[in-house]
């Protein structure tokens, strides 16, 4: 068990692509500058020129490589073309099958492809099409969760499936500190992907009240009440806020389409109304009833006690893991 970089990055620390625009250039650049893999989040609609601007803005803040996350459930072909034209280091894909022609096209452009999976079946398909790494997401993760299995039972099975192939396995779901990092390494992962911990950083584009709630609340729940009309059959994990506890038994036929507007937000340059039960998280521009919006968070949120600079998060993960391994495991 040892700490090492993955995919050419100094450390095996991945900052998840927080949607819809929470992991912006400032956060991604801060993670990159600290030696981790930062991931922008592409818009959930075709906006290739805007995405290119986002990539170029990030490059203005760091000379280190980084990546872009794309949700395959939404229109994405033009956005992917833009990513490949810009030759970012990593294309991360999620919530949809990663086709072999996409992998071939990305490799032709010098871009590595890293899908996020939630089952052994998805992992097998990813290996078969020649991906460069695999993120294994457990049910403990915040935001939209594609699988039903807990991370630590699933992770070693994917590691065994990969075997001696040069495909790093990255663990995601509920990991927020060095202890989770070391636990994932012990199960065969070569890196970890963190969402909630990087959400609660100075550079994340999340609304200040959202960040405050990440410190205030310790419990989450796996649900489907947010965003049913826009993204059906897409369960997610959110903070157990008073609003959520009041509405968590929302009847299956209800969704955000006929609900009142509770806020406004500018998302990836577009002004949007936010209706009650919409799946849109509040960013820095959001106004309205913030506490009644979707506040995604993973099960590890109770371990987050302060808002930190993103670079400090990377530093504490790496140095804490090194110390743990030296103190606890060096003589085993």
């Amino acid at each position: 068990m040892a700490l090492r970089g993955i995919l050419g990055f100094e450390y095996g620390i991945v900052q998840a692509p927080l949607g819809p625009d929470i992991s912006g250039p400032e956060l991604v650049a801060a993670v990159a500058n600290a030696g981790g893999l930062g991931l922008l989040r592409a818009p959930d609609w075709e906006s290739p020129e805007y995405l290119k601007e986002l990539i170029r803005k990030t490059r203005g803040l760091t000379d280190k490589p980084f990546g872009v996350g794309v949700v395959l459930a939404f229109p994405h072909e033009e956005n992917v073309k833009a990513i490949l034209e810009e030759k970012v280091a990593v294309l991360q894909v999620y919530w949809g099958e990663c086709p072999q022609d996409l992998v071939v096209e990305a490799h032709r452009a010098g871009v590595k492809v890293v899908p996020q999976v939630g089952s052994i079946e998805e992992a097998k398909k990813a290996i078969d099409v020649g991906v460069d790494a695999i993120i294994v997401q457990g049910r403990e993760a915040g935001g939209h969760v594609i699988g039903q299995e807990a991370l630590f039972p699933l992770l070693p099975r994917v590691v065994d499936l990969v075997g001696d192939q040069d495909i790093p396995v990255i663990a995601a779901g509920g990991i927020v500190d060095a202890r989770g990092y070391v636990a994932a390494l012990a199960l065969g992962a070569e890196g970890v992907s963190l969402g909630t911990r990087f959400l609660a950083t100075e550079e994340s584009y999340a609304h200040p009240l959202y960040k405050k709630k990440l410190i205030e609340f310790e419990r989450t729940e796996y649900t489907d009440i947010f965003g049913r009309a826009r993204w059906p059959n897409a369960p997610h994990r959110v903070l157990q806020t008073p609003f959520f506890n009041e509405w968590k038994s929302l009847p299956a036929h209800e969704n955000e389409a006929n609900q009142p507007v509770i806020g406004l937000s500018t998302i990836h340059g577009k002004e949007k109304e936010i209706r009650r039960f919409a799946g849109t998280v509040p960013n820095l521009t959001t106004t309205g009833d913030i506490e009644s919006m979707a506040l995604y968070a993973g099960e590890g949120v109770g371990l987050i006690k302060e808002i930190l600079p993103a670079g400090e998060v990377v530093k504490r993960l790496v140095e804490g893991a090194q110390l743990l391994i030296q103190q606890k495991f060096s003589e085993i």
Side-chain angles (χ1 to χ4, degrees):
M1 181 169 60
L3 293 165
R4 58 181 179 273
I6 54 171
L7 300 172
F9 292 82
E10 187 175 356
Y11 301 123
I13 309 292
V14 180
Q15 162 254 304
L18 306 167
D21 63 352
I22 303 301
S23 57
E26 292 77 14
L27 175 58
V28 170
V31 172
N33 287 333
L37 167 54
L39 295 171
L40 292 167
R41 168 71 181 273
D44 292 336
W45 55 87
E46 297 284 25
S47 189
E49 293 308 314
Y50 175 86
L51 183 53
K52 286 182 179 181
E53 288 180 19
L54 210 60
I55 292 167
R56 290 165 187 171
K57 184 176 180 181
T58 308
R59 285 187 171 136
L61 299 172
T62 182
D63 58 0
K64 302 287 185 68
F66 57 90
V68 182
V70 173
V71 177
L72 299 176
F74 298 114
H76 60 270
E77 289 186 6
E78 294 303 314
N79 288 341
V80 168
K81 284 182 184 176
I83 292 166
L84 301 188
E85 286 172 9
E86 288 295 315
K87 298 186 183 299
V88 298
V90 172
L91 168 63
Q92 190 258 16
V93 294
Y94 185 42
W95 214 280
E97 196 164 319
C98 178
Q100 189 162 24
D101 58 352
L102 173 59
V103 177
V104 170
E105 189 179 358
H107 286 171
R108 193 178 296 129
V111 177
K112 295 181 172 73
V113 180
V114 181
Q116 180 166 282
V117 306
S119 68
I120 199 76
E121 291 78 17
E122 278 189 291
K124 286 176 180 175
K125 291 178 181 178
I127 292 168
D128 288 344
V129 298
V131 301
D132 299 279
I134 297 172
I135 299 172
V136 179
Q137 183 196 50
R139 201 172 186 266
E140 304 92 330
H144 291 84
V145 184
I146 200 166
Q148 291 294 318
E149 297 182 60
L151 173 62
F152 283 176
L154 176 61
L155 175 60
R157 294 177 64 207
V158 176
V159 170
D160 289 347
L161 184 68
V162 169
D164 59 2
Q165 299 175 77
D166 185 21
I167 303 175
V169 177
I170 301 161
I175 299 171
V176 298
D177 63 11
R179 293 170 293 181
Y181 187 7
V182 172
L185 292 174
L187 291 171
E190 292 186 38
V192 288
S193 177
L194 296 84
T196 310
R197 177 62 272 191
F198 282 113
L199 179 63
T201 57
E202 293 177 2
E203 296 90 348
S204 103
Y205 201 54
H207 192 281
L209 187 58
Y210 184 6
K211 296 183 187 183
K212 182 181 176 184
K213 296 303 176 185
L214 294 171
I215 307 299
E216 181 180 338
F217 291 100
E218 297 190 344
R219 297 179 65 85
T220 65
E221 192 161 328
Y222 182 81
T223 182
D224 74 338
I225 71 166
F226 293 103
R228 287 174 177 170
R230 174 178 171 270
W231 194 354
N233 304 310
H236 36 269
R237 184 173 297 281
V238 299
L239 290 174
Q240 283 191 19
T241 60
F243 174 84
F244 172 76
N245 286 330
E246 179 183 355
W247 293 97
K248 63 182 178 181
S249 299
L250 188 72
H253 67 276
E254 293 282 355
N255 61 50
E256 71 271 27
N258 62 351
Q259 295 294 316
V261 173
I262 62 169
L264 299 171
S265 190
T266 301
I267 301 167
H268 283 310
K270 287 191 174 184
E271 292 187 6
K272 301 273 188 178
E273 291 182 338
I274 299 179
R275 295 184 179 275
R276 188 169 61 187
F277 307 126
T280 305
V281 297
N283 68 20
L284 204 54
T285 73
T286 306
T287 57
D289 186 3
I290 306 297
E291 295 188 45
S292 297
M293 296 179 187
L295 302 181
Y296 302 132
E299 283 191 341
V301 70
L303 294 168
I304 299 174
K305 305 300 182 185
E306 58 185 330
I307 306 301
L308 294 170
E312 182 66 18
V313 170
V314 175
K315 181 182 177 184
R316 290 189 185 187
L317 283 164
V318 174
E319 292 182 354
Q322 288 171 334
L323 191 62
L324 266 176
I325 291 169
Q326 290 166 7
Q327 291 181 343
K328 302 287 187 181
F329 306 109
S330 60
E331 296 180 4
I332 294 177

